[in-house]
Amino acid sequence: VISLLNSYAGLAAAATGFAIGNNVLIIAGALEGAGGFILSIIMSKAMNRSFANVIFGAFGAAPSSKPGAKGDVKEPKSITPEDAATQLAYAGSVVIIPGYGMAVAQAQHTCRELDELISKKGGEVKYAIHPVAGRMPGHLNVILSEAGIDYGALLTDVDDANRVLATADVAIVIGANDIVNPDAEDDKSSPLYGMPIFRPWTARTVFVIKRGKGTGFSGVENPLFTRDNTLMLYGDAKGVLGSLIKEIKALDEGH
């Protein structure tokens, strides 16, 4: 919706250009208007929702509990920063999946520090960026670039990112939720069903950095958090990443 409003602002600028006879304003406004509209369409497709549904509809309420689910509820497993740091220090390939939580915590610079530590120890770090992650399109790309992260390390195509995830030693989900929800592929009753998502669970180990046990923007539970190879690191993204950096450095000093 914000992207569409941005498009309208461009069209208003173009109309003003016609009114005052300013060709630069006409061209700039038309480009901004077209860009905002195209981006709105791309985001709608990335959420598997029609453009009209995004503008006029509410994002589905959480479905009622699945039959037989009661009594068989698994609890997420947590891990300490010390143990997580040990795995990261010796990981050959790491994929970071940032989301809104990372943007809110302004953890991009801390994330870059972790990236550098892993790279110095011989690991390769990539970033999987979803078209609708971080609330504002392009927001995550901007803040990661601002932190000095190489643009070549960003995987902005969902299929390409999933191919890299399938061979990764560790996937780190930082403040993301709906874009890594397996129900988008497995549960036809989910409002997320059909939405293109990342598959971090195909990596050997998944670390999820999250403030608490709440749901994402869609309001639905995420079964990724209870998968056998998923481990939770609860807390503010910047603080948790800082703890991981501290523990990896402690490992180096211990050796």
Side-chain angles (χ1 to χ4, degrees):
V1 173
I2 294 173
S3 179
L4 185 64
L5 291 174
N6 190 49
S7 173
Y8 290 162
L11 294 178
T16 304
F18 279 110
I20 64 175
N22 188 317
N23 290 333
V24 174
L25 197 56
I26 293 171
I27 295 170
L31 289 173
E32 184 181 357
F37 183 74
I38 292 169
L39 192 53
S40 301
I41 298 296
I42 291 172
M43 292 182 69
S44 299
K45 183 179 179 182
M47 291 189 292
N48 194 40
R49 297 172 65 197
S50 70
F51 187 62
N53 179 259
V54 171
I55 302 303
F56 302 111
F59 200 24
S64 58
S65 58
K66 300 175 188 177
K70 290 185 177 180
D72 191 30
V73 178
K74 293 175 65 177
E75 282 294 319
K77 295 173 291 185
S78 60
I79 188 174
T80 63
E82 294 88 343
D83 292 335
T86 301
Q87 293 194 46
L88 287 173
Y90 299 103
S93 58
V94 176
V95 178
I96 296 174
I97 304 175
Y100 182 62
M102 193 195 80
V104 169
Q106 288 292 294
Q108 62 269 26
H109 295 280
T110 318
C111 191
R112 189 206 68 229
E113 290 182 50
L114 180 64
D115 178 336
E116 291 173 349
L117 280 177
I118 296 171
S119 298
K120 284 179 182 177
K121 297 184 75 65
E124 182 182 30
V125 181
K126 295 287 186 181
Y127 295 81
I129 311 296
H130 196 277
V132 296
R135 295 291 190 274
M136 279 297 292
H139 187 201
L140 291 173
N141 301 50
V142 172
I143 65 174
L144 289 173
S145 296
E146 175 211 351
I149 292 169
D150 182 16
Y151 194 81
L154 307 186
L155 302 169
T156 56
D157 181 86
V158 174
D159 291 334
D160 288 345
N162 283 330
R163 280 190 286 270
V164 176
L165 280 164
T167 60
D169 292 320
V170 179
I172 308 176
V173 180
I174 308 177
N177 201 324
D178 295 330
I179 62 170
V180 292
N181 193 324
D183 278 353
E185 296 182 341
D186 303 334
D187 183 6
K188 291 185 178 180
S189 68
S190 172
L192 296 174
Y193 186 73
M195 173 178 165
I197 57 166
F198 293 133
R199 301 187 186 103
W201 61 87
T202 61
R204 184 177 300 172
T205 304
V206 184
F207 294 148
V208 177
I209 299 174
K210 199 170 181 293
R211 281 185 178 273
K213 297 181 179 181
T215 59
F217 178 63
S218 65
V220 299
E221 297 293 337
N222 192 340
L224 168 69
F225 304 152
T226 56
R227 293 235 172 179
D228 292 338
N229 64 334
T230 298
L231 298 165
M232 309 296 293
L233 284 157
Y234 292 112
D236 174 80
K238 191 172 184 178
V240 172
L241 290 172
S243 296
L244 290 174
I245 291 169
K246 179 181 176 181
E247 294 301 330
I248 293 176
K249 287 180 178 179
L251 284 172
D252 290 340
E253 291 170 2
H255 285 90

PDB file of all heavy atoms in Angstrom, residues 113-143:
ATOM      1  N   GLU A 113      29.635  -7.443  11.447  1.00  0.00           N
ATOM      2  CA  GLU A 113      30.747  -7.896  12.290  1.00  0.00           C
ATOM      3  C   GLU A 113      30.764  -9.416  12.401  1.00  0.00           C
ATOM      4  O   GLU A 113      31.831 -10.042  12.333  1.00  0.00           O
ATOM      5  CB  GLU A 113      30.636  -7.275  13.683  1.00  0.00           C
ATOM      6  CG  GLU A 113      30.909  -5.771  13.738  1.00  0.00           C
ATOM      7  CD  GLU A 113      30.828  -5.248  15.156  1.00  0.00           C
ATOM      8  OE1 GLU A 113      31.473  -5.851  16.040  1.00  0.00           O
ATOM      9  OE2 GLU A 113      30.104  -4.259  15.389  1.00  0.00           O
ATOM     10  N   LEU A 114      29.586 -10.001  12.584  1.00  0.00           N
ATOM     11  CA  LEU A 114      29.495 -11.462  12.649  1.00  0.00           C
ATOM     12  C   LEU A 114      29.920 -12.076  11.326  1.00  0.00           C
ATOM     13  O   LEU A 114      30.658 -13.074  11.292  1.00  0.00           O
ATOM     14  CB  LEU A 114      28.068 -11.877  12.994  1.00  0.00           C
ATOM     15  CG  LEU A 114      27.810 -13.384  13.087  1.00  0.00           C
ATOM     16  CD1 LEU A 114      28.617 -13.992  14.232  1.00  0.00           C
ATOM     17  CD2 LEU A 114      26.319 -13.670  13.263  1.00  0.00           C
ATOM     18  N   ASP A 115      29.463 -11.475  10.240  1.00  0.00           N
ATOM     19  CA  ASP A 115      29.841 -11.906   8.886  1.00  0.00           C
ATOM     20  C   ASP A 115      31.364 -11.926   8.748  1.00  0.00           C
ATOM     21  O   ASP A 115      31.950 -12.913   8.278  1.00  0.00           O
ATOM     22  CB  ASP A 115      29.199 -10.933   7.890  1.00  0.00           C
ATOM     23  CG  ASP A 115      29.539 -11.225   6.431  1.00  0.00           C
ATOM     24  OD1 ASP A 115      30.580 -11.857   6.161  1.00  0.00           O
ATOM     25  OD2 ASP A 115      28.771 -10.809   5.560  1.00  0.00           O
ATOM     26  N   GLU A 116      32.014 -10.861   9.170  1.00  0.00           N
ATOM     27  CA  GLU A 116      33.468 -10.755   9.037  1.00  0.00           C
ATOM     28  C   GLU A 116      34.196 -11.813   9.860  1.00  0.00           C
ATOM     29  O   GLU A 116      35.194 -12.393   9.412  1.00  0.00           O
ATOM     30  CB  GLU A 116      33.925  -9.354   9.443  1.00  0.00           C
ATOM     31  CG  GLU A 116      33.496  -8.268   8.472  1.00  0.00           C
ATOM     32  CD  GLU A 116      33.807  -6.871   8.972  1.00  0.00           C
ATOM     33  OE1 GLU A 116      34.167  -6.731  10.165  1.00  0.00           O
ATOM     34  OE2 GLU A 116      33.701  -5.921   8.175  1.00  0.00           O
ATOM     35  N   LEU A 117      33.687 -12.090  11.069  1.00  0.00           N
ATOM     36  CA  LEU A 117      34.315 -13.109  11.906  1.00  0.00           C
ATOM     37  C   LEU A 117      34.220 -14.496  11.287  1.00  0.00           C
ATOM     38  O   LEU A 117      35.189 -15.262  11.267  1.00  0.00           O
ATOM     39  CB  LEU A 117      33.653 -13.129  13.292  1.00  0.00           C
ATOM     40  CG  LEU A 117      34.090 -12.072  14.305  1.00  0.00           C
ATOM     41  CD1 LEU A 117      33.277 -12.210  15.585  1.00  0.00           C
ATOM     42  CD2 LEU A 117      35.577 -12.192  14.600  1.00  0.00           C
ATOM     43  N   ILE A 118      33.032 -14.809  10.760  1.00  0.00           N
ATOM     44  CA  ILE A 118      32.839 -16.114  10.124  1.00  0.00           C
ATOM     45  C   ILE A 118      33.716 -16.233   8.880  1.00  0.00           C
ATOM     46  O   ILE A 118      34.341 -17.277   8.627  1.00  0.00           O
ATOM     47  CB  ILE A 118      31.355 -16.330   9.762  1.00  0.00           C
ATOM     48  CG1 ILE A 118      30.505 -16.381  11.036  1.00  0.00           C
ATOM     49  CG2 ILE A 118      31.170 -17.615   8.958  1.00  0.00           C
ATOM     50  CD1 ILE A 118      29.012 -16.369  10.783  1.00  0.00           C
ATOM     51  N   SER A 119      33.784 -15.148   8.108  1.00  0.00           N
ATOM     52  CA  SER A 119      34.599 -15.158   6.882  1.00  0.00           C
ATOM     53  C   SER A 119      36.085 -15.331   7.196  1.00  0.00           C
ATOM     54  O   SER A 119      36.797 -16.052   6.494  1.00  0.00           O
ATOM     55  CB  SER A 119      34.377 -13.861   6.100  1.00  0.00           C
ATOM     56  OG  SER A 119      33.032 -13.730   5.702  1.00  0.00           O
ATOM     57  N   LYS A 120      36.552 -14.685   8.276  1.00  0.00           N
ATOM     58  CA  LYS A 120      37.960 -14.811   8.658  1.00  0.00           C
ATOM     59  C   LYS A 120      38.316 -16.248   9.038  1.00  0.00           C
ATOM     60  O   LYS A 120      39.457 -16.689   8.895  1.00  0.00           O
ATOM     61  CB  LYS A 120      38.275 -13.872   9.823  1.00  0.00           C
ATOM     62  CG  LYS A 120      38.408 -12.414   9.408  1.00  0.00           C
ATOM     63  CD  LYS A 120      38.687 -11.531  10.618  1.00  0.00           C
ATOM     64  CE  LYS A 120      38.780 -10.055  10.211  1.00  0.00           C
ATOM     65  NZ  LYS A 120      38.978  -9.179  11.393  1.00  0.00           N
ATOM     66  N   LYS A 121      37.316 -16.986   9.521  1.00  0.00           N
ATOM     67  CA  LYS A 121      37.557 -18.366   9.918  1.00  0.00           C
ATOM     68  C   LYS A 121      37.319 -19.347   8.774  1.00  0.00           C
ATOM     69  O   LYS A 121      37.283 -20.558   8.967  1.00  0.00           O
ATOM     70  CB  LYS A 121      36.667 -18.722  11.121  1.00  0.00           C
ATOM     71  CG  LYS A 121      36.986 -17.883  12.368  1.00  0.00           C
ATOM     72  CD  LYS A 121      36.176 -18.308  13.576  1.00  0.00           C
ATOM     73  CE  LYS A 121      36.693 -19.607  14.162  1.00  0.00           C
ATOM     74  NZ  LYS A 121      38.046 -19.485  14.713  1.00  0.00           N
ATOM     75  N   GLY A 122      37.115 -18.793   7.561  1.00  0.00           N
ATOM     76  CA  GLY A 122      36.996 -19.639   6.380  1.00  0.00           C
ATOM     77  C   GLY A 122      35.588 -19.942   5.928  1.00  0.00           C
ATOM     78  O   GLY A 122      35.386 -20.664   4.944  1.00  0.00           O
ATOM     79  N   GLY A 123      34.598 -19.393   6.597  1.00  0.00           N
ATOM     80  CA  GLY A 123      33.221 -19.638   6.200  1.00  0.00           C
ATOM     81  C   GLY A 123      32.736 -18.644   5.154  1.00  0.00           C
ATOM     82  O   GLY A 123      33.232 -17.523   5.077  1.00  0.00           O
ATOM     83  N   GLU A 124      31.763 -19.049   4.367  1.00  0.00           N
ATOM     84  CA  GLU A 124      31.162 -18.169   3.354  1.00  0.00           C
ATOM     85  C   GLU A 124      29.789 -17.733   3.833  1.00  0.00           C
ATOM     86  O   GLU A 124      28.976 -18.575   4.248  1.00  0.00           O
ATOM     87  CB  GLU A 124      31.040 -18.888   2.012  1.00  0.00           C
ATOM     88  CG  GLU A 124      30.458 -18.011   0.916  1.00  0.00           C
ATOM     89  CD  GLU A 124      30.284 -18.745  -0.406  1.00  0.00           C
ATOM     90  OE1 GLU A 124      30.067 -19.975  -0.366  1.00  0.00           O
ATOM     91  OE2 GLU A 124      30.351 -18.092  -1.466  1.00  0.00           O
ATOM     92  N   VAL A 125      29.529 -16.436   3.791  1.00  0.00           N
ATOM     93  CA  VAL A 125      28.255 -15.899   4.285  1.00  0.00           C
ATOM     94  C   VAL A 125      27.463 -15.274   3.141  1.00  0.00           C
ATOM     95  O   VAL A 125      27.989 -14.466   2.379  1.00  0.00           O
ATOM     96  CB  VAL A 125      28.487 -14.846   5.389  1.00  0.00           C
ATOM     97  CG1 VAL A 125      27.147 -14.324   5.911  1.00  0.00           C
ATOM     98  CG2 VAL A 125      29.307 -15.441   6.532  1.00  0.00           C
ATOM     99  N   LYS A 126      26.204 -15.671   3.021  1.00  0.00           N
ATOM    100  CA  LYS A 126      25.288 -15.090   2.049  1.00  0.00           C
ATOM    101  C   LYS A 126      24.054 -14.565   2.778  1.00  0.00           C
ATOM    102  O   LYS A 126      23.748 -14.986   3.892  1.00  0.00           O
ATOM    103  CB  LYS A 126      24.863 -16.141   1.012  1.00  0.00           C
ATOM    104  CG  LYS A 126      25.980 -16.662   0.127  1.00  0.00           C
ATOM    105  CD  LYS A 126      26.412 -15.637  -0.899  1.00  0.00           C
ATOM    106  CE  LYS A 126      27.433 -16.203  -1.879  1.00  0.00           C
ATOM    107  NZ  LYS A 126      27.866 -15.188  -2.876  1.00  0.00           N
ATOM    108  N   TYR A 127      23.321 -13.660   2.125  1.00  0.00           N
ATOM    109  CA  TYR A 127      22.113 -13.086   2.707  1.00  0.00           C
ATOM    110  C   TYR A 127      20.940 -13.344   1.771  1.00  0.00           C
ATOM    111  O   TYR A 127      20.986 -12.979   0.590  1.00  0.00           O
ATOM    112  CB  TYR A 127      22.269 -11.579   2.903  1.00  0.00           C
ATOM    113  CG  TYR A 127      23.337 -11.210   3.902  1.00  0.00           C
ATOM    114  CD1 TYR A 127      24.684 -11.194   3.538  1.00  0.00           C
ATOM    115  CD2 TYR A 127      23.011 -10.874   5.216  1.00  0.00           C
ATOM    116  CE1 TYR A 127      25.674 -10.861   4.450  1.00  0.00           C
ATOM    117  CE2 TYR A 127      23.993 -10.538   6.140  1.00  0.00           C
ATOM    118  CZ  TYR A 127      25.318 -10.535   5.749  1.00  0.00           C
ATOM    119  OH  TYR A 127      26.300 -10.208   6.652  1.00  0.00           O
ATOM    120  N   ALA A 128      19.890 -13.960   2.284  1.00  0.00           N
ATOM    121  CA  ALA A 128      18.689 -14.214   1.495  1.00  0.00           C
ATOM    122  C   ALA A 128      17.681 -13.097   1.769  1.00  0.00           C
ATOM    123  O   ALA A 128      17.216 -12.946   2.905  1.00  0.00           O
ATOM    124  CB  ALA A 128      18.100 -15.573   1.852  1.00  0.00           C
ATOM    125  N   ILE A 129      17.377 -12.307   0.752  1.00  0.00           N
ATOM    126  CA  ILE A 129      16.488 -11.149   0.908  1.00  0.00           C
ATOM    127  C   ILE A 129      15.170 -11.420   0.180  1.00  0.00           C
ATOM    128  O   ILE A 129      15.141 -11.550  -1.042  1.00  0.00           O
ATOM    129  CB  ILE A 129      17.128  -9.863   0.339  1.00  0.00           C
ATOM    130  CG1 ILE A 129      18.556  -9.683   0.854  1.00  0.00           C
ATOM    131  CG2 ILE A 129      16.257  -8.659   0.676  1.00  0.00           C
ATOM    132  CD1 ILE A 129      18.664  -9.471   2.336  1.00  0.00           C
ATOM    133  N   HIS A 130      14.081 -11.499   0.919  1.00  0.00           N
ATOM    134  CA  HIS A 130      12.768 -11.757   0.326  1.00  0.00           C
ATOM    135  C   HIS A 130      12.168 -10.454  -0.205  1.00  0.00           C
ATOM    136  O   HIS A 130      12.384  -9.386   0.378  1.00  0.00           O
ATOM    137  CB  HIS A 130      11.843 -12.371   1.381  1.00  0.00           C
ATOM    138  CG  HIS A 130      10.614 -13.010   0.817  1.00  0.00           C
ATOM    139  ND1 HIS A 130       9.483 -12.289   0.499  1.00  0.00           N
ATOM    140  CD2 HIS A 130      10.347 -14.309   0.504  1.00  0.00           C
ATOM    141  CE1 HIS A 130       8.570 -13.116   0.020  1.00  0.00           C
ATOM    142  NE2 HIS A 130       9.058 -14.348   0.017  1.00  0.00           N
ATOM    143  N   PRO A 131      11.411 -10.529  -1.325  1.00  0.00           N
ATOM    144  CA  PRO A 131      10.839  -9.302  -1.903  1.00  0.00           C
ATOM    145  C   PRO A 131       9.946  -8.501  -0.957  1.00  0.00           C
ATOM    146  O   PRO A 131       9.785  -7.297  -1.137  1.00  0.00           O
ATOM    147  CB  PRO A 131      10.025  -9.833  -3.097  1.00  0.00           C
ATOM    148  CG  PRO A 131      10.692 -11.117  -3.464  1.00  0.00           C
ATOM    149  CD  PRO A 131      11.173 -11.706  -2.177  1.00  0.00           C
ATOM    150  N   VAL A 132       9.342  -9.149   0.048  1.00  0.00           N
ATOM    151  CA  VAL A 132       8.444  -8.406   0.946  1.00  0.00           C
ATOM    152  C   VAL A 132       8.963  -8.363   2.383  1.00  0.00           C
ATOM    153  O   VAL A 132       8.243  -7.994   3.298  1.00  0.00           O
ATOM    154  CB  VAL A 132       7.010  -9.000   0.933  1.00  0.00           C
ATOM    155  CG1 VAL A 132       6.394  -8.843  -0.430  1.00  0.00           C
ATOM    156  CG2 VAL A 132       7.012 -10.466   1.364  1.00  0.00           C
ATOM    157  N   ALA A 133      10.232  -8.726   2.596  1.00  0.00           N
ATOM    158  CA  ALA A 133      10.777  -8.718   3.961  1.00  0.00           C
ATOM    159  C   ALA A 133      11.099  -7.299   4.416  1.00  0.00           C
ATOM    160  O   ALA A 133      11.484  -6.458   3.607  1.00  0.00           O
ATOM    161  CB  ALA A 133      12.037  -9.574   4.032  1.00  0.00           C
ATOM    162  N   GLY A 134      10.970  -7.058   5.705  1.00  0.00           N
ATOM    163  CA  GLY A 134      11.343  -5.758   6.257  1.00  0.00           C
ATOM    164  C   GLY A 134      10.285  -4.686   6.092  1.00  0.00           C
ATOM    165  O   GLY A 134      10.551  -3.515   6.308  1.00  0.00           O
ATOM    166  N   ARG A 135       9.073  -5.091   5.717  1.00  0.00           N
ATOM    167  CA  ARG A 135       7.925  -4.193   5.518  1.00  0.00           C
ATOM    168  C   ARG A 135       8.048  -3.310   4.291  1.00  0.00           C
ATOM    169  O   ARG A 135       7.190  -3.282   3.449  1.00  0.00           O
ATOM    170  CB  ARG A 135       7.683  -3.304   6.748  1.00  0.00           C
ATOM    171  CG  ARG A 135       7.269  -4.077   7.992  1.00  0.00           C
ATOM    172  CD  ARG A 135       5.887  -4.660   7.875  1.00  0.00           C
ATOM    173  NE  ARG A 135       5.442  -5.187   9.147  1.00  0.00           N
ATOM    174  CZ  ARG A 135       5.697  -6.415   9.595  1.00  0.00           C
ATOM    175  NH1 ARG A 135       6.408  -7.253   8.857  1.00  0.00           N
ATOM    176  NH2 ARG A 135       5.235  -6.814  10.767  1.00  0.00           N
ATOM    177  N   MET A 136       9.141  -2.587   4.147  1.00  0.00           N
ATOM    178  CA  MET A 136       9.300  -1.722   2.976  1.00  0.00           C
ATOM    179  C   MET A 136      10.180  -2.405   1.947  1.00  0.00           C
ATOM    180  O   MET A 136      11.276  -2.878   2.284  1.00  0.00           O
ATOM    181  CB  MET A 136       9.930  -0.390   3.368  1.00  0.00           C
ATOM    182  CG  MET A 136       8.941   0.603   3.941  1.00  0.00           C
ATOM    183  SD  MET A 136       7.670   1.058   2.739  1.00  0.00           S
ATOM    184  CE  MET A 136       8.628   1.975   1.552  1.00  0.00           C
ATOM    185  N   PRO A 137       9.733  -2.507   0.710  1.00  0.00           N
ATOM    186  CA  PRO A 137      10.540  -3.165  -0.325  1.00  0.00           C
ATOM    187  C   PRO A 137      11.872  -2.448  -0.526  1.00  0.00           C
ATOM    188  O   PRO A 137      11.928  -1.228  -0.625  1.00  0.00           O
ATOM    189  CB  PRO A 137       9.662  -3.059  -1.573  1.00  0.00           C
ATOM    190  CG  PRO A 137       8.766  -1.893  -1.306  1.00  0.00           C
ATOM    191  CD  PRO A 137       8.502  -1.937   0.171  1.00  0.00           C
ATOM    192  N   GLY A 138      12.927  -3.235  -0.542  1.00  0.00           N
ATOM    193  CA  GLY A 138      14.248  -2.657  -0.735  1.00  0.00           C
ATOM    194  C   GLY A 138      14.874  -2.140   0.544  1.00  0.00           C
ATOM    195  O   GLY A 138      16.038  -1.760   0.560  1.00  0.00           O
ATOM    196  N   HIS A 139      14.112  -2.138   1.619  1.00  0.00           N
ATOM    197  CA  HIS A 139      14.588  -1.594   2.889  1.00  0.00           C
ATOM    198  C   HIS A 139      15.806  -2.369   3.386  1.00  0.00           C
ATOM    199  O   HIS A 139      16.822  -1.786   3.761  1.00  0.00           O
ATOM    200  CB  HIS A 139      13.456  -1.651   3.920  1.00  0.00           C
ATOM    201  CG  HIS A 139      13.784  -0.970   5.213  1.00  0.00           C
ATOM    202  ND1 HIS A 139      13.119  -1.240   6.389  1.00  0.00           N
ATOM    203  CD2 HIS A 139      14.715  -0.042   5.530  1.00  0.00           C
ATOM    204  CE1 HIS A 139      13.619  -0.511   7.363  1.00  0.00           C
ATOM    205  NE2 HIS A 139      14.584   0.232   6.867  1.00  0.00           N
ATOM    206  N   LEU A 140      15.714  -3.698   3.375  1.00  0.00           N
ATOM    207  CA  LEU A 140      16.811  -4.513   3.882  1.00  0.00           C
ATOM    208  C   LEU A 140      18.052  -4.370   3.011  1.00  0.00           C
ATOM    209  O   LEU A 140      19.170  -4.333   3.520  1.00  0.00           O
ATOM    210  CB  LEU A 140      16.388  -5.980   3.989  1.00  0.00           C
ATOM    211  CG  LEU A 140      15.352  -6.266   5.081  1.00  0.00           C
ATOM    212  CD1 LEU A 140      14.866  -7.702   5.008  1.00  0.00           C
ATOM    213  CD2 LEU A 140      15.928  -5.978   6.451  1.00  0.00           C
ATOM    214  N   ASN A 141      17.863  -4.320   1.710  1.00  0.00           N
ATOM    215  CA  ASN A 141      19.006  -4.114   0.821  1.00  0.00           C
ATOM    216  C   ASN A 141      19.744  -2.822   1.165  1.00  0.00           C
ATOM    217  O   ASN A 141      20.970  -2.788   1.210  1.00  0.00           O
ATOM    218  CB  ASN A 141      18.543  -4.025  -0.644  1.00  0.00           C
ATOM    219  CG  ASN A 141      17.805  -5.262  -1.093  1.00  0.00           C
ATOM    220  OD1 ASN A 141      16.890  -5.724  -0.429  1.00  0.00           O
ATOM    221  ND2 ASN A 141      18.196  -5.800  -2.221  1.00  0.00           N
ATOM    222  N   VAL A 142      18.966  -1.780   1.447  1.00  0.00           N
ATOM    223  CA  VAL A 142      19.552  -0.471   1.736  1.00  0.00           C
ATOM    224  C   VAL A 142      20.335  -0.490   3.044  1.00  0.00           C
ATOM    225  O   VAL A 142      21.484  -0.039   3.103  1.00  0.00           O
ATOM    226  CB  VAL A 142      18.460   0.620   1.783  1.00  0.00           C
ATOM    227  CG1 VAL A 142      19.038   1.934   2.285  1.00  0.00           C
ATOM    228  CG2 VAL A 142      17.841   0.807   0.407  1.00  0.00           C
ATOM    229  N   ILE A 143      19.722  -1.028   4.114  1.00  0.00           N
ATOM    230  CA  ILE A 143      20.404  -0.970   5.405  1.00  0.00           C
ATOM    231  C   ILE A 143      21.611  -1.910   5.451  1.00  0.00           C
ATOM    232  O   ILE A 143      22.599  -1.624   6.132  1.00  0.00           O
ATOM    233  CB  ILE A 143      19.445  -1.257   6.583  1.00  0.00           C
ATOM    234  CG1 ILE A 143      18.901  -2.687   6.540  1.00  0.00           C
ATOM    235  CG2 ILE A 143      18.311  -0.254   6.607  1.00  0.00           C
ATOM    236  CD1 ILE A 143      18.066  -3.036   7.771  1.00  0.00           C
TER     237      ILE A 143
END
